[in-house]
Amino acid sequence: MSTHLFYQPVHTPPDDILLAFCAGQINPAFGMVVSSHLYYSPISRKRVREMECLGGILLDKIPPAEIRAKSLDAVIEQLNTPLHPSAFDTEDDRRETHLDRSRSDNEQNGSGLLEGKLPPALLHVLGGDMEQLKWRRISGGVEEADIPGGKVGPCRARLMRIAPHTKVAAHTHGGTEMTLVLGGSYKDNTDTFYPGDLQICDASVHHQPHVDDAAPCLCLVASDAPVRLTGLLGRLINPFLRSA
Amino acid sequence: MQDRLERLIKDVAEVRDTTAFKELFEHFAPRIKSYLLRQGAGNEEAEELMQEAMIMVWKKAESFNPGQASLSTWIFTIARNKRIDLLRKEKGGIATYDYSLVHQEDKRADDTLISRQEEVRLRRALTKLPADQADILKLAFWGDKSHGVIANESGLPLGTVKSRIRLAMQRLRGILEEE
């Protein structure tokens, strides 16, 4: 047994968002954040597995559609006979489903949280490490870095880094914003957020996140509308606004 | 029925039984296609993706683990992932559903897997859910083009649908706890 207490995120996504993720409806930029959160949260993983179970149960109940008469023949023609895993054509085929027995045998054992490593899914997208990231300054103490493939339609996922003892400009959100803490922590008027915590804000939330610690706070953020600055600072400059 | 389906996939996995596969196809293909159509795929597209999903079922039959999920759940995830792959090709993006990669300490006590008993209880609980709540869950999973847009481009449910989904899940869990 480890002597470390593994922090379980307190802030988890609500069911409607987990279900949108589970059903494959969610925009991939938001999906990236949810999927990274799952790395940290057994509770959320359990909920998603329950929902997948529901997905299976409902698949049995769905009114069936008409299949083309030749469909079965077309499929039979394409079947290979080898049992060996090399029958898989592409990396996509190999990675199809996380429920596979062979996948769970090969699971990577990232020490993740405790050593400040990133969720494997995110790390994969970044090509293995954070060295490639290009950080740009958004405002005093706040930097942002684009993620390859992070922009999908109106939604955008990116990394943000807030320096120690920094207050992010007060803002509200036109649409939805998801913030996943990857390292360090931040506070706002509601609570403190630690690695694995996912905060979801919408138009009703006005907040001013700040980092009190001596350590910077690293977050994965996704949103579907530009942030609107409120307060005096908002009227003077608009560093958060980006055109789509 | 799950038992019968799982015997079939076992035959496919162990001896490459095409008769068993045809039975699986008869059950799942029309349902997978229906799901894809409701997600907004065109008829052609839905046919193609469905075929690809069934080919995947054949190819990966060996790695289906009845201890980890029911066959329908496994196939649901295959169909869902196929759809996401298609969206990725059309719109880009990098979302991954491979969240089996977990923190090492977690693995020692990974009770996030749904057991066979839990699945049976979930099935039963779903039958006890009020019809309108079961309907909203069906809508949330299947989508339905004729219902108009229930979510915007973010893919997140809006307004009343959002709260109805939360209530339905809450009720479902309540029923599970009562058992």
Side-chain angles (χ1 to χ4, degrees):
Chain A
M1 274 301 260
S2 167
T3 53
H4 294 286
L5 184 64
F6 180 48
Y7 172 74
Q8 298 229 5
V10 165
H11 297 276
T12 57
D15 285 330
D16 57 293
I17 287 181
L18 286 177
L19 208 145
F21 171 80
C22 178
Q25 318 264 19
I26 205 170
N27 180 292
F30 285 128
M32 188 72 226
V33 182
V34 174
S35 135
S36 298
H37 161 77
L38 291 180
Y39 171 73
Y40 299 97
S41 174
I43 290 172
S44 295
R45 282 201 299 281
K46 176 97 186 186
R47 287 185 186 141
V48 174
R49 291 208 201 268
E50 263 174 358
M51 288 172 181
E52 281 176 349
C53 197
L54 258 186
I57 294 168
L58 290 175
L59 186 65
D60 286 335
K61 290 184 197 284
I62 204 172
E66 283 276 324
I67 298 287
R68 251 192 254 135
K70 304 278 189 209
S71 236
L72 177 55
D73 293 334
V75 167
I76 299 281
E77 255 183 59
Q78 295 182 66
L79 300 181
N80 290 320
T81 49
L83 291 165
H84 198 271
S86 64
F88 302 150
D89 299 319
T90 65
E91 212 199 312
D92 263 355
D93 286 345
R94 270 187 286 274
R95 288 154 55 90
E96 262 320 298
T97 162
H98 60 280
L99 294 174
D100 291 354
R101 180 196 290 129
S102 56
R103 297 257 25 200
S104 61
D105 286 345
N106 293 332
E107 267 168 35
Q108 283 174 41
N109 300 325
S111 41
L113 181 62
L114 296 179
E115 285 164 30
K117 289 211 187 115
L118 299 184
L122 179 59
L123 210 55
H124 176 80
V125 158
L126 296 181
D129 60 46
M130 298 210 357
E131 305 298 310
Q132 309 291 325
L133 291 171
K134 294 193 170 51
W135 291 98
R136 74 179 161 270
R137 206 177 91 112
I138 297 293
S139 66
V142 181
E143 295 172 288
E144 190 178 270
D146 286 332
I147 294 173
K151 178 110 175 66
V152 185
C155 306
R156 192 167 72 95
R158 67 273 190 200
L159 287 166
M160 286 186 80
R161 187 161 65 190
I162 309 166
H165 311 296
T166 301
K167 202 176 259 196
V168 174
H171 61 279
T172 184
H173 309 86
T176 303
E177 183 181 79
M178 294 188 189
T179 304
L180 173 69
V181 180
L182 300 172
S185 67
Y186 72 83
K187 289 186 167 78
D188 73 2
N189 54 317
T190 65
D191 205 352
T192 307
F193 298 83
Y194 297 98
D197 276 329
L198 180 59
Q199 185 178 27
I200 299 178
C201 297
D202 61 19
S204 64
V205 173
H206 295 250
H207 71 158
Q208 191 164 17
H210 53 103
V211 175
D212 283 348
D213 281 350
C217 181
L218 180 68
C219 298
L220 176 62
V221 181
S223 54
D224 58 6
V227 156
R228 279 200 309 275
L229 292 187
T230 57
L232 182 62
L233 193 62
R235 273 173 263 156
L236 292 176
I237 50 165
N238 282 318
F240 284 107
L241 288 182
R242 278 173 61 107
S243 53
Chain B
M1 180 179 52
Q2 283 302 312
D3 288 336
R4 184 188 131 242
L5 294 173
E6 281 173 24
R7 268 199 302 277
L8 292 170
I9 193 84
K10 200 155 179 277
D11 290 340
V12 170
E14 289 175 358
V15 298
R16 282 324 195 193
D17 184 348
T18 45
T19 309
F21 179 76
K22 283 178 185 175
E23 275 195 65
L24 287 174
F25 188 93
E26 264 165 36
H27 177 79
F28 284 110
R31 289 170 170 82
I32 293 172
K33 184 175 174 186
S34 176
Y35 162 72
L36 293 167
L37 285 170
R38 286 158 187 267
Q39 300 289 318
N43 194 53
E44 232 9 82
E45 214 169 48
E47 269 285 335
E48 255 181 60
L49 281 178
M50 173 276 288
Q51 288 184 19
E52 281 179 32
M54 289 310 301
I55 290 168
M56 188 67 47
V57 169
W58 169 271
K59 283 185 175 174
K60 305 199 79 181
E62 208 189 19
S63 54
F64 167 66
N65 180 355
Q68 284 202 299
S70 73
L71 183 60
S72 300
T73 298
W74 188 66
I75 291 181
F76 164 72
T77 61
I78 289 174
R80 177 207 54 202
N81 291 359
K82 275 289 162 202
R83 181 179 166 260
I84 287 162
D85 284 346
L86 177 70
L87 283 180
R88 190 157 53 210
K89 283 178 194 136
E90 289 174 357
K91 292 186 175 181
I94 33 71
T96 174
Y97 282 71
D98 189 359
Y99 53 89
S100 60
L101 304 171
V102 298
H103 189 284
Q104 179 162 19
E105 288 187 23
D106 238 3
K107 272 192 62 179
R108 272 180 243 154
D110 192 3
D111 57 0
T112 67
L113 297 177
I114 306 295
S115 71
R116 174 52 50 92
Q117 286 159 316
E118 280 178 286
E119 198 234 326
V120 167
R121 290 175 60 221
L122 195 56
R123 247 176 225 273
R124 204 162 48 225
L126 190 60
T127 63
K128 294 186 183 167
L129 200 62
D132 63 317
Q133 289 191 315
D135 283 347
I136 197 68
L137 290 183
K138 286 174 185 169
L139 186 68
F141 268 101
W142 299 341
D144 193 340
K145 275 161 53 184
S146 66
H147 238 91
V149 180
I150 66 158
N152 51 26
E153 279 220 56
S154 310
L156 302 175
L158 308 168
T160 53
V161 176
K162 174 159 85 171
S163 45
R164 286 176 67 199
I165 290 171
R166 293 185 193 184
L167 284 171
M169 285 307 300
Q170 196 179 352
R171 185 71 179 266
L172 192 62
R173 292 201 186 102
I175 294 170
L176 278 171
E177 269 164 43
E178 279 165 27
E179 302 230 318

